């Protein structure tokens, strides 16, 4: 069923499990992810990121995403990820996306607050849920352990600012930074769970979001969920895994001297990705029975 993420993330926060949020830039991923969620009875957030729009325009995937969510046997939110331009966000709302990440994290704090607050006031009457971000998450990993252990690390979300942000905006979920980064890690990530604990205390019941989760070891993701993360954004390493699996299939066919038909390869990748998604979503559930 198509939903916004308000109730699913509130329940995840209360019961200490994570809801997976995974990009679906093509029908193969869309089918694999929704079927995986159905088979293990897990809620799911599927999204389209603004950075992927040049690859496949929102309008080309929106109808399929919404239809898949409506027909799903589990709650599925259809989400705009890292929407920075209002043009992109409005296109998503016009195509029935049920939630939006309005990312103003690059702006000064006060401007971030004002823009997010105004946007929430505009879309909340329509039942749209809003995620915002506070902090400066890098695209490659930087050293997060230098300096005073009690001082906020460079780019980390400041707990006092996070408290003020959620109080003033009423945001439905807040993406916070405590050791992850976007994309492929250049060295092993280290989550600052003590800093996460401060953020959890500072933000009350507001669901917290971890971006850059792929590439983080699953036991560490579980610790972050135990520490208060409700929404787990995961994509880059799953996409690389799908590519690696496809490469293996091609190499096996070549060694066997048989041709590879594209449609058969896509079906193999779909089945493999669904199995990986089931494994991930099960881990995010953290033993919680739904």
């Amino acid at each position: 069923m198509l939903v916004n993420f308000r109730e699913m993330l509130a329940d995840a926060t209360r019961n200490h499990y994570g809801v997976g949020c995974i990009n679906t830039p093509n029908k193969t991923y869309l089918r694999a992810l929704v079927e995986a969620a159905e088979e293990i009875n897990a809620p799911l957030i599927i999204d389209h990121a603004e950075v992927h729009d040049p690859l496949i325009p929102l309008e080309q995937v929106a109808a399929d995403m919404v239809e898949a969510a409506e027909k799903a046997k589990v709650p599925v939110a259809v989400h705009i990820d890292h929407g920075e331009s209002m043009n992109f966000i409005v296109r998503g709302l016009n195509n029935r996306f049920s939630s939006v990440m309005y990312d103003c994290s690059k702006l000064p704090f006060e401007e971030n607050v004002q823009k997010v607050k105004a946007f929430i006031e505009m879309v909340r009457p329509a039942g749209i849920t809003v995620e915002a971000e506070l902090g400066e998450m890098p695209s490659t990993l930087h050293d997060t352990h230098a300096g005073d252990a009690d001082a906020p690390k460079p780019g980390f979300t400041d707990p006092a600012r996070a408290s003020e942000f959620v109080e003033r905006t009423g945001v439905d979920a807040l993406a916070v930074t405590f050791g992850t980064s976007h994309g492929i890690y250049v060295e092993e990530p280290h989550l600052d769970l003590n800093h996460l604990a401060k953020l959890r205390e500072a933000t009350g019941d507001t669901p917290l979001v971890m971006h850059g989760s792929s590439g983080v070891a699953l036991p560490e993701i579980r610790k972050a969920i135990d520490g208060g993360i409700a929404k787990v954004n995961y994509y880059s390493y799953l996409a690389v895994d799908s590519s690696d699996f496809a490469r293996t299939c091609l190499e096996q066919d070549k060694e066997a001297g048989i041709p590879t038909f594209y449609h058969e390869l896509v079906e193999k990748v779909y089945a493999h990705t669904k199995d990986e998604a089931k494994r991930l979503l099960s881990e995010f559930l953290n033993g919680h029975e739904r």
Side-chain angles (χ1 to χ4, degrees):
M1 67 195 82
L2 174 65
V3 300
N4 62 40
F5 63 49
R6 183 173 294 114
E7 290 304 318
M8 66 166 72
L9 293 190
D11 188 69
T13 300
R14 285 193 299 267
N15 292 292
H16 306 290
Y17 66 92
V19 178
C21 177
I22 307 177
N23 300 63
T24 55
N26 56 49
K27 288 186 178 181
T28 300
Y29 258 55
L30 176 59
R31 182 161 58 116
L33 294 173
V34 173
E35 290 182 10
E38 288 180 324
E39 290 182 15
I40 64 170
N41 193 33
L44 176 67
I45 302 170
I46 53 177
D47 70 30
H48 188 61
E50 186 163 358
V51 70
H52 286 158
D53 207 47
L55 175 68
I56 178 167
L58 181 148
E59 288 78 9
Q60 291 185 22
V61 296
D64 290 328
M65 292 173 69
V66 170
E67 182 181 16
E70 288 178 329
K71 293 181 177 179
K73 300 173 184 177
V74 294
V76 178
V78 180
H79 182 64
I80 289 290
D81 185 38
H82 287 286
E84 297 185 26
S85 71
M86 192 54 61
N87 175 271
F88 180 73
I89 291 170
V90 169
R91 286 165 54 208
L93 296 178
N94 287 341
N95 281 274
R96 300 182 60 204
F97 277 60
S98 59
S99 71
V100 173
M101 180 190 185
Y102 185 27
D103 186 358
C104 300
S105 60
K106 296 176 183 177
L107 300 176
F109 175 77
E110 188 63 32
E111 191 173 357
N112 190 350
V113 168
Q114 294 300 328
K115 283 183 173 291
V116 170
K117 181 181 179 181
F119 181 71
I120 289 171
E121 291 173 350
M122 179 177 66
V123 302
R124 182 159 284 166
I128 305 299
T129 41
V130 179
E131 172 187 344
E133 181 171 337
L134 193 61
E136 300 175 11
M137 181 175 290
S139 294
T140 57
L141 188 65
H142 298 291
D143 182 10
T144 60
H145 289 273
D148 184 350
D150 293 326
K153 309 301 187 297
F156 275 27
T157 305
D158 180 82
R161 284 288 177 93
S163 177
E164 180 181 352
F165 190 92
V166 299
E167 181 178 353
R168 292 177 61 187
T169 63
V171 72
D172 297 293
L174 183 66
V176 292
T177 303
F178 57 99
T180 58
S181 68
H182 290 297
I184 302 299
Y185 287 95
V186 297
E187 58 184 66
E188 183 180 355
H190 297 282
L191 304 186
D192 189 334
L193 297 175
N194 290 329
H195 194 78
L196 174 59
K198 295 175 184 177
L199 291 168
R200 178 69 284 163
E201 182 178 4
T203 53
D205 294 330
T206 301
L208 297 181
V209 181
M210 180 167 70
H211 285 253
S213 303
S214 73
V216 178
L218 282 173
E220 293 301 301
I221 294 177
R222 289 282 295 268
K223 290 178 184 178
I225 292 169
D226 286 337
I229 291 297
K231 177 172 174 281
V232 182
N233 279 47
Y234 197 106
Y235 179 69
S236 296
Y237 281 74
L238 182 62
V240 170
D241 177 77
S242 297
S243 297
D244 288 344
F245 176 77
R247 184 180 300 109
T248 298
C249 292
L250 291 169
E251 290 172 350
Q252 290 175 342
D253 285 351
K254 185 176 181 179
E255 289 177 4
I258 60 177
T260 301
F261 291 98
Y262 177 72
H263 60 277
E264 293 179 353
L265 178 63
V266 169
E267 285 302 297
K268 290 178 181 178
V269 172
Y270 144 75
H272 173 80
T273 302
K274 183 172 78 168
D275 286 344
E276 283 298 298
K278 288 168 64 175
R279 182 176 68 89
L280 292 170
L281 295 175
S282 294
E283 289 286 341
F284 300 163
L285 283 175
N286 217 14
H288 179 72
E289 295 292 334
R290 297 189 69 261

